[in-house]
Amino acid sequence: MTHSDPIEVHPAWLPAEAFRALGSRRVLVRGEGQLMDTVAGEVEQACARYGGSWRRQRQGEAGADLDGSRYELVLALTRAHPLPSAAVGVVERGTLGDEGFALTRRNGATAVLADEPAGLLYGLFHVARLGEAAFADSRPVERHLPATPLRMLDHWDNIDVHPAMGQVERGYSGGSLFWDAGVLRDDLVRVRAYGRLLAACGINRVAINNVNVHAAEAHLLTDRLGDAIAIADALRPYGIRVHLSVNFASPIALGGLPTADPLDAQVRAWWEETTRRVYESIPDFGGYVVKADSEGQPGPFAYDRTHADGANLLADALAPFGGIVHWRAFVYNHRQDWRDRSTDRARAAYDHFAPLDGQFRENAILQVKYGPMDFQTREPVSPVIAAMPSTRVAVEFQVTQEYTGQQRHVCYLGPLWSEVLGFRPWGAEESTVAQIAAASGGGLVAVSNAGDDPFWTGHPLAQANLYAFGRLAWDPGLDPIAVLDEWIDLTFQPAAGDGGAKLRDTLHAMMDESWHVYEQYTAPLGVGFMVRPADHYGPSVDGYEYTQWGTYHFADRDGVGVDRTQATGTGFTSQYPKPSGEMYESLEQCPDELLLFFHHVPYTHVLHNGSTVIQHIYDTHFEGAERAAEMRRAWEEVEPGGLITPALYARVRERLDEQVRCAQEWRDQINTYFFRKSGVPDERGRRIY
Ligand code: GCV
């Protein structure tokens, strides 16, 4: 295998083989509408390839040959009339919602039923996931309903190539799927294929442009709306609604008004009219995403108005059309003085937003990053999530691996998200983060990691992160390792058979704990950052220590960590309800992995695991770098073939080389730094520089 092997666009988790089982059956599709056409098209293609047969039955069309018993797979809307016999009595009509489906198998036929076409689309992809298992034995009726109707990806794509941030801000997968150097791509076939991949893992909304809305991108709302229309047309067949990130100062920049004051009548009229025009062209438009008064983006503060005033302005403009505004809570002082230890960036989102609870419109969603800082490898859950009972709150994840190896490192993030989603701020008997987000009507959002790279995600194994986000958004209770298994089986379908068992084991060995491995060799015990400023890749322990960004570790010769306690620190722990706040406040109860996020401790402090902080730093860094090398050794034993094409093999191999190199660099810089600061030697006498 060489680098010059031709690389076609990789099918990701939808290779043709994923449809072999259903494509070799007799299939009946029953129902009308655009999404039903998509379902029928999928079935038609699969049957053409694998020798099955299929029939589309239209409403009212009946006849002996259309009896469901002649089919091995029936995909039908519950309102279909007459209902194919395999589907009769399976489920009560009207109980599956807009997107749910029911699946059962009896008398030799598998039936998938849904109240709405979107449900059948998700049901079809579920059958693909099950493969032959969908046609074996009988199955009691299973009902599959998404935990939340809002399962969204944000793209940080720019239209113009930004001088510092490029075509895609924090993008590690080549260029944008939508734009190339200032223009919409001519051919949106790939965007349609992207929509298909997203639907197959459960995502139903995409914000197409960067939340940092620069000059050209602001025009998507008006004279470049055509770009959004074309993208919406490409994604619609897979049930995906398009959203736009908008610039809060648009009334000035685009409308020629002297102000963007959210309470100004002209400003309100401008947003109303502009929004009306958007809906004229895109009737199923999802709504707006706004980053306001954050990292230099304009917002309501310029007019002495609150974030609620800002969000409500846009919510009111969107409301007549059923649209939503996602208002981001990533607001903090990015001009902090490192000498001032009382200002704490972690506190900022809560301080800004908690007092506004109850003031947001019904169609405004507060979009909160999962942690209080910025998508670090390890952070506590953001206290904002539990602090706004009268606000719709969406939890935001980052699939693009800005701080988790930039798709050069294997870092499967399913376990991180699953941990966050399962966290219970009020204690064991109370709601999880996933339940809070769903019950509030906020849902889940993540920054996409996809681009025009032939493998979609730069690192082929990073596809698993995109897949896992969708699946966990659909059902946060899924075991992330089982989700990884699904992804392996779909993507490397032959792995589902005997020959693939070894590949499956290898991928699990490399990926299951890869987030922990990455955590081991990077910033220790939840302290965060220590990355190279600006590009956020690779180690630079003091890179941010004396900057204005508020991301400090405060290491000195005696100890390290940020005191965020109420007793002696910034008081951040008080933003949590009981018992989580008490747990973090207490040095004894604080989980080891978050110790340095909440406490400044001496290097000799003994962790729950019995090790001192300094020895733990040495041990985890030696071990993490070694485990990265083990991943490479495991991959070396994989034999290219089948769906492990030479190009895919080589791409993974080349990235593993970089991961091993970078992990060693992290190990040596971190260990050396703390040895020099503390003067405490490694008790195992390993090499520190
Ligand atoms: C889009 C981090 C990233 C920025 C990003 C920002 C955000 O700070 O480094 O590139 O900007 O988050 O989420 O808005």
Side-chain angles (χ1 to χ4, degrees):
M1 79 252 28
T2 67
H3 291 266
S4 57
D5 283 322
I7 301 179
E8 289 175 2
V9 173
H10 186 256
W13 49 88
L14 290 181
E17 285 81 352
F19 291 86
R20 182 186 291 274
L22 79 88
S24 55
R25 292 325 203 272
R26 298 185 304 278
V27 187
L28 179 67
V29 178
R30 186 82 170 82
E32 272 83 38
Q34 186 183 24
L35 293 185
M36 287 307 304
D37 295 346
T38 304
V39 172
E42 291 282 347
V43 170
E44 179 177 17
Q45 259 194 1
C47 288
R49 181 181 283 263
Y50 293 109
S53 62
W54 78 288
R55 177 80 198 246
R56 175 94 180 257
Q57 190 186 17
R58 307 255 168 204
Q59 188 70 7
E61 206 182 318
D65 66 319
L66 292 178
D67 188 295
S69 62
R70 297 171 61 104
Y71 296 93
E72 294 165 281
L73 173 63
V74 169
L75 296 149
L77 291 180
T78 52
R79 61 171 174 266
H81 179 75
L83 203 59
S85 59
V88 172
V90 169
V91 71
E92 208 174 313
R93 187 171 151 184
T95 58
L96 296 168
D98 289 341
E99 298 179 303
F101 63 92
L103 181 127
T104 188
R105 180 168 173 82
R106 54 194 188 190
N107 306 328
T110 302
V112 181
L113 283 165
D115 288 333
E116 298 298 332
L120 276 192
L121 184 65
Y122 294 123
L124 171 85
F125 288 123
H126 190 69
V127 172
R129 249 192 311 271
L130 292 172
E132 281 300 327
F135 303 98
D137 308 326
S138 53
R139 278 177 174 265
V141 179
E142 297 164 16
R143 297 160 62 87
H144 296 260
L145 279 84
T148 163
L150 289 158
R151 308 178 302 276
M152 176 158 158
L153 281 179
D154 284 0
H155 274 253
W156 286 354
D157 296 20
N158 300 315
I159 294 182
D160 284 334
V161 178
H162 186 270
M165 289 299 171
Q167 187 76 68
V168 180
E169 181 154 347
R170 310 303 181 189
Y172 312 103
S173 307
S176 163
L177 287 165
F178 311 128
W179 293 282
D180 184 17
V183 289
L184 183 71
R185 290 183 179 278
D186 287 339
D187 184 356
L188 296 181
V189 169
R190 195 137 179 218
V191 174
R192 186 184 157 108
Y194 181 53
R196 181 170 178 256
L197 286 172
L198 297 187
C201 65
I203 287 159
N204 62 1
R205 291 165 186 263
V206 171
I208 58 176
N209 63 305
N210 191 357
V211 290
N212 291 330
V213 186
H214 309 293
E217 293 75 11
H219 287 262
L220 284 169
L221 198 52
T222 52
D223 43 308
R224 288 204 66 164
L225 184 60
D227 293 16
I229 296 171
I231 295 168
D233 287 347
L235 293 174
R236 187 173 296 111
Y238 285 95
I240 290 166
R241 295 171 74 170
V242 154
H243 295 235
L244 282 178
S245 296
V246 298
N247 187 307
F248 193 76
S250 292
I252 303 172
L254 306 176
L257 297 180
T259 176
D261 182 348
L263 301 191
D264 181 276
Q266 275 186 300
V267 169
R268 298 184 72 79
W270 186 87
W271 279 109
E272 279 161 21
E273 175 57 13
T274 303
T275 305
R276 191 189 60 72
R277 289 201 186 153
V278 172
Y279 277 92
E280 230 168 53
S281 311
I282 313 178
D284 58 352
F285 179 68
Y288 300 139
V289 180
V290 191
K291 171 175 176 178
D293 289 312
S294 167
E295 298 187 332
Q297 294 295 302
F301 286 176
Y303 312 99
D304 274 339
R305 310 296 186 200
T306 68
H307 281 283
D309 294 332
N312 292 343
L313 161 75
L314 299 174
D316 289 345
L318 289 156
F321 312 98
I324 297 167
V325 58
H326 283 84
W327 193 266
R328 293 181 83 232
F330 183 57
V331 179
Y332 67 99
N333 176 5
H334 71 284
R335 298 219 170 80
Q336 213 174 299
D337 183 349
W338 59 268
R339 300 165 191 85
D340 164 20
R341 284 177 85 142
S342 66
T343 306
D344 181 3
R345 170 166 161 178
R347 291 189 59 121
Y350 181 104
D351 286 343
H352 279 295
F353 288 96
L356 301 178
D357 186 35
Q359 295 183 30
F360 291 91
R361 295 281 190 270
E362 192 277 326
N363 62 330
I365 292 177
L366 190 67
Q367 185 169 316
V368 184
K369 290 191 184 188
Y370 70 82
M373 296 297 276
D374 190 10
F375 300 135
Q376 296 304 289
T377 312
R378 176 74 70 172
E379 288 189 44
V381 162
S382 166
V384 178
I385 296 167
M388 310 218 39
S390 305
T391 305
R392 294 173 73 175
V393 172
V395 177
E396 183 180 322
F397 293 117
Q398 198 184 38
V399 188
T400 192
Q401 291 172 236
E402 176 177 359
Y403 294 100
T404 50
Q406 305 201 345
Q407 282 131 258
R408 288 183 249 184
H409 297 221
V410 179
C411 187
Y412 175 53
L413 294 167
L416 187 173
W417 302 329
S418 176
E419 231 177 86
V420 169
L421 292 167
F423 182 75
R424 297 174 192 272
W426 297 281
E429 304 302 314
E430 305 293 332
S431 297
T432 63
V433 164
Q435 287 163 342
I436 299 168
S440 78
L444 298 177
V445 182
V447 186
S448 176
N449 66 347
D452 78 337
D453 168 64
F455 294 102
W456 298 92
T457 53
H459 201 310
L461 304 188
Q463 289 175 6
N465 284 330
L466 190 53
Y467 181 82
F469 170 70
R471 295 288 289 138
L472 290 171
W474 178 280
D475 180 356
L478 291 173
D479 169 7
I481 301 306
V483 170
L484 181 60
D485 216 34
E486 279 178 11
W487 174 79
I488 293 172
D489 276 3
L490 283 168
T491 308
F492 305 108
Q493 189 71 10
D498 287 351
K502 182 159 180 272
L503 174 65
R504 180 209 299 267
D505 290 349
T506 303
L507 289 171
H508 276 295
M510 292 171 67
M511 297 174 76
D512 286 4
E513 294 189 16
S514 51
W515 165 49
H516 287 294
V517 172
Y518 187 80
E519 180 180 27
Q520 281 188 308
Y521 61 74
T522 54
L525 295 165
V527 78
F529 290 87
M530 298 191 169
V531 287
R532 221 157 50 203
D535 74 350
H536 296 170
Y537 185 76
S540 175
V541 183
D542 281 340
Y544 273 114
E545 199 58 14
Y546 306 103
T547 68
Q548 56 195 1
W549 294 94
T551 54
Y552 315 122
H553 54 69
F554 300 121
D556 58 25
R557 65 180 183 177
D558 300 317
V560 56
V562 190
D563 184 353
R564 294 193 159 104
T565 63
Q566 269 180 281
T568 51
T570 68
F572 169 69
T573 56
S574 69
Q575 296 184 341
Y576 288 88
K578 283 183 188 171
S580 44
E582 290 173 344
M583 169 176 74
Y584 295 138
E585 175 80 9
S586 149
L587 192 54
E588 290 70 42
Q589 287 176 44
C590 184
D592 284 350
E593 67 273 12
L594 285 169
L595 182 70
L596 303 183
F597 191 95
F598 287 104
H599 298 272
H600 185 94
V601 296
Y603 294 114
T604 50
H605 175 83
V606 178
L607 299 168
H608 295 118
N609 68 17
S611 188
T612 59
V613 165
I614 189 72
Q615 191 56 40
H616 177 87
I617 291 175
Y618 298 146
D619 289 346
T620 49
H621 285 77
F622 282 115
E623 188 180 323
E626 177 49 32
R627 290 176 77 184
E630 273 165 27
M631 282 183 202
R632 182 170 63 182
R633 282 197 289 277
W635 187 251
E636 278 165 0
E637 304 214 338
V638 169
E639 285 171 23
L643 291 180
I644 303 279
T645 60
L648 185 140
Y649 183 88
R651 178 68 78 85
V652 173
R653 172 63 220 241
E654 136 204 328
R655 305 248 152 172
L656 282 163
D657 286 347
E658 167 55 16
Q659 180 170 5
V660 171
R661 182 207 66 76
C662 189
Q664 288 171 358
E665 193 60 32
W666 269 101
R667 174 195 69 194
D668 293 339
Q669 285 203 28
I670 297 274
N671 284 345
T672 302
Y673 180 94
F674 284 105
F675 173 61
R676 289 181 185 174
K677 279 261 154 150
S678 70
V680 180
D682 170 29
E683 61 189 25
R684 292 174 55 192
R686 290 161 292 194
R687 176 121 202 233
I688 295 177
Y689 297 85

